[in-house]
Amino acid sequence: MLGVARTLTSATRVLDVLGLLRPEDGIDKYCTVNPGSAFAEGLPEYLASMGVQVLTWKEATRRSFDLAVACAVHPSMRRLRAPLMVLPHGAGYNRLVTESTGDTTSPAGLSRRELVHRGRVVPAAIGLSHHDQLARLLRTCPEAVPRAAVIGDWCFQRILASRQMRDWYRDRLGVADGRRLVVIHSTWSEHSLLGRYPQLPLDLVTSLPSDEFAVAAVFHPNVWARHSSLAVLERLGKAMDAGLMVIPPQEGWRAVVVAGDCVIGDHGSTTFYSAAADRVTLLAANGLDELDPASPAAAFGRSAPRIDPGGDLYAQLLCAEKDHDPSVLRPIVDSQLADVDKSGELTQRRLYAFLEHRGVRLPEAPPDPSPVPHPEPIRRLPPTAYEVTGTVHGDGTVDVQRWPLVAGHCERERGFYAVATETSHTVWKQSADVVARVLAGAAPSPPEWCLREAERYPGAAVLVARIDEASAVVRLPGGTLLEARTSRPWGGPQPALDPLVLGAAVNLWLMDGRTGEELTEGLVVRTGRHRVQVTFSRRTDDGLGVGIVT
């Protein structure tokens, strides 16, 4: 068996399909890179890192195989000495790529130029993800219709089968405590989200309260191939400093589809898959200029809710969550993805049909979809400076909202500053109402640090130094020191205590006219959907705490 890749996108899909061949059947698997794509840089190395045997294209065309599988067809594949099975490398066939198809009406993968050579249909089998694609193939290349079969979408079947891993994926992404995960999806080209709104990742991560939302970005592998990993990460540097997680192009995007709550995307397949998984979906770009008008992707672009990148992103997201109705887009996504629960079985049956003459029998049981791999996000250290607003309620609850500060990207002032000592922006430190040391175990001790830093930052109303994951020392105006600790709920773990969140809550408390003495009665800090009860104690001459609420 030979897997044929042209781009990273097609390579990952080919490897997924080759996984349908059972190891006990003794099928030798090889891979090769079909040359000519502008997005093929590093493909042989990637395939080798996945443990498959990699042949050069010259070697592959000199050897004979029982079957070659490609998830991106090209006329040069006719040189292979093997029956060729071609499949889509995304959610169906949608994009108009004239340099590949030779015309402006055929979607890539279904054009006569790609499928026929000198009057002969090159692929022995053409996999479709939905019955409607037969009608489109009949229009673009009727002689290829007898070779076509609807086999569903094995990739999406694995996504759906991974839903029970949602909590594990979210844990790997650091999304807990009631935060929602917003995922930015962008395909490539000038019509993509990144092509139209390159500032959107930074705008989004600085517009959403960081204790209510986490933001991850999934970019098409062609983006990485065209600009290099270094260039992509450099351009996202400010957004990553503000908390953006970036998903590598090789793997992880499927786990993020499972883990996500909301999607802001475009006409790429990853956005489509997210909508098919019933995620709250908003389009920043619809890509209609490069889509087959008859494709479900075009219908999706015309029908999916839109987001105004220049508007209030937070308000639009909250509104989209409230109004979300998965049934609105269901007819469109269903017109692209058929027989999803049988995709692996149908694809496997087609693969093994080419091996019957070698005595390899079709497995009796259908393949069991394994969960997709855990995401391994690229991220930086958490933000060290925030703008803070909030509300103090009569029952002792303090609502805190924080937005990461980014130099040169402050459109309007929201409230006061809460910064960590690690921040390098001197002006923020001197202007901050809250200064915190977030590292535990550092010298001097937390009480000594609070007393010393009061002289360095006379404008700060509240100083906080972490003791451990669940406690901190707080200095109030006038020099009062309190030890703060979270209360462990019955049946639950000890909640973590973020010194910056604590300092922000205490400052809001004082701004509301409450006193430090009243803090000894305890307070509840609420950030979005997460709440934690905090108790305070003051040191006495005998070293015992007083005013502890249990």
Side-chain angles (χ1 to χ4, degrees):
M1 181 74 68
L2 178 68
V4 185
R6 279 185 59 81
T7 63
L8 180 58
T9 311
S10 64
T12 57
R13 191 63 68 97
V14 164
L15 292 175
D16 221 23
V17 172
L18 292 184
L20 289 168
L21 302 173
R22 300 188 312 171
E24 57 264 40
D25 291 326
I27 303 169
D28 292 328
K29 303 175 187 179
Y30 300 87
C31 280
T32 189
V33 177
N34 177 239
S37 172
F39 306 108
E41 184 70 26
L43 268 185
E45 293 78 11
Y46 166 72
L47 292 169
S49 73
M50 299 304 293
V52 298
Q53 301 181 71
V54 182
L55 305 177
T56 66
W57 180 247
K58 186 175 182 180
E59 291 172 329
T61 55
R62 287 180 174 179
R63 298 179 60 170
S64 298
F65 299 90
D66 295 296
L67 178 64
V69 177
C71 294
V73 66
H74 189 269
S76 62
M77 293 179 186
R78 66 182 182 274
R79 300 190 179 97
L80 293 170
R81 299 171 61 184
L84 176 65
M85 179 176 179
V86 297
L87 305 165
H89 57 266
Y93 302 91
N94 304 294
R95 195 186 295 262
L96 299 175
V97 185
T98 56
E99 55 265 34
S100 299
T101 63
D103 62 64
T104 59
T105 59
S106 302
L110 299 183
S111 70
R112 176 176 281 105
R113 179 177 178 179
E114 295 168 303
L115 299 175
V116 176
H117 178 68
R118 294 182 178 178
R120 181 181 70 88
V121 177
V122 174
I126 302 169
L128 308 177
S129 62
H130 195 278
H131 303 274
D132 289 354
Q133 292 164 20
L134 281 170
R136 295 167 60 206
L137 181 62
L138 182 62
R139 171 174 57 85
T140 59
C141 188
E143 56 267 53
V145 170
R147 307 283 181 92
V150 177
I151 58 173
D153 191 308
W154 173 234
C155 175
F156 188 60
Q157 185 180 2
R158 288 193 66 195
I159 290 174
L160 294 182
S162 302
R163 286 176 292 187
Q164 75 274 12
M165 298 294 293
R166 175 176 166 86
D167 289 341
W168 288 87
Y169 298 152
R170 289 173 68 85
D171 181 71
R172 186 62 64 93
L173 294 164
V175 182
D177 301 334
R179 286 199 300 169
R180 286 98 87 194
L181 176 61
V182 180
V183 186
I184 302 169
H185 288 280
S186 180
T187 187
W188 60 286
S189 86
E190 61 182 339
H191 304 292
S192 68
L193 180 151
L194 275 183
R196 294 288 181 88
Y197 306 105
Q199 281 290 107
L200 186 55
L202 178 59
D203 291 341
L204 185 65
V205 79
T206 54
S207 297
L208 302 180
S210 58
D211 297 304
E212 297 178 35
F213 295 92
V215 183
V218 173
F219 301 137
H220 194 285
N222 287 2
V223 174
W224 297 81
R226 173 166 289 177
H227 300 290
S228 82
S229 296
L230 177 63
V232 170
L233 296 178
E234 282 183 340
R235 294 185 185 187
L236 295 170
K238 286 188 175 182
M240 294 179 72
D241 285 339
L244 178 71
M245 296 178 284
V246 181
I247 307 303
Q250 294 83 2
E251 186 56 87
W253 68 267
R254 294 184 291 188
V256 171
V257 169
V258 176
D261 298 291
C262 311
V263 169
I264 297 177
D266 54 22
H267 55 293
S269 292
T270 56
T271 306
F272 195 92
Y273 284 134
S274 298
D278 294 338
R279 301 295 176 255
V280 177
T281 303
L282 295 169
L283 296 187
N286 58 28
L288 293 177
D289 291 338
E290 60 178 356
L291 293 176
D292 177 2
S295 68
F300 179 70
R302 291 189 292 264
S303 304
R306 300 296 299 273
I307 190 168
D308 176 11
D312 187 332
L313 299 176
Y314 182 37
Q316 292 180 78
L317 202 54
L318 293 179
C319 184
E321 286 182 327
K322 179 174 64 72
D323 297 338
H324 177 56
D325 182 359
S327 66
V328 172
L329 294 176
R330 178 54 50 192
I332 295 175
V333 298
D334 285 349
S335 69
Q336 184 92 290
L337 303 167
D339 298 321
V340 174
D341 58 335
K342 297 181 179 179
S343 299
E345 180 181 0
L346 294 172
T347 306
Q348 187 183 68
R349 185 182 303 163
R350 197 68 173 164
L351 293 170
Y352 275 81
F354 289 96
L355 306 175
E356 288 179 344
H357 71 285
R358 297 291 296 270
V360 180
R361 300 180 61 183
L362 178 70
E364 294 183 3
D368 185 19
S370 59
V372 298
H374 284 81
E376 298 291 345
I378 305 169
R379 61 177 126 205
R380 297 184 178 178
L381 292 174
T384 56
Y386 295 89
E387 287 182 282
V388 181
T389 64
T391 305
V392 179
H393 300 276
D395 62 355
T397 298
V398 181
D399 287 329
V400 178
Q401 282 191 311
R402 302 187 301 162
W403 291 266
L405 281 168
V406 175
H409 196 74
C410 183
E411 298 181 357
R412 60 186 177 88
E413 292 188 4
R414 295 186 176 94
F416 61 85
Y417 289 179
V419 306
T421 55
E422 290 83 0
T423 188
S424 59
H425 204 295
T426 305
V427 174
W428 292 344
K429 286 182 181 179
Q430 298 300 329
S431 305
D433 284 12
V434 177
V435 178
R437 188 177 73 179
V438 300
L439 182 65
S445 68
E448 292 173 340
W449 180 88
C450 287
L451 294 174
R452 186 190 70 181
E453 295 302 298
E455 298 181 2
R456 291 187 61 189
Y457 303 107
V462 179
L463 294 169
V464 185
R466 185 193 293 275
I467 300 173
D468 54 32
E469 284 299 308
S471 63
V473 170
V474 181
R475 182 193 182 277
L476 304 178
T480 300
L481 293 181
L482 299 176
E483 181 178 319
R485 179 171 293 276
T486 60
S487 296
R488 186 179 70 84
W490 187 91
Q494 186 79 28
L497 185 62
D498 185 326
L500 282 171
V501 173
L502 174 63
V506 170
N507 192 53
L508 288 165
W509 178 272
L510 298 174
M511 290 172 62
D512 193 59
R514 309 296 181 94
T515 66
E517 187 66 29
E518 291 175 289
L519 280 175
T520 59
E521 299 178 11
L523 58 79
V524 174
V525 181
R526 187 163 55 197
T527 50
R529 299 174 179 175
H530 179 64
R531 54 189 289 138
V532 59
Q533 184 173 352
V534 182
T535 63
F536 294 85
S537 63
R538 182 163 48 217
R539 182 181 176 87
T540 61
D541 290 341
D542 60 5
L544 298 177
V546 297
I548 302 176
V549 179
T550 59

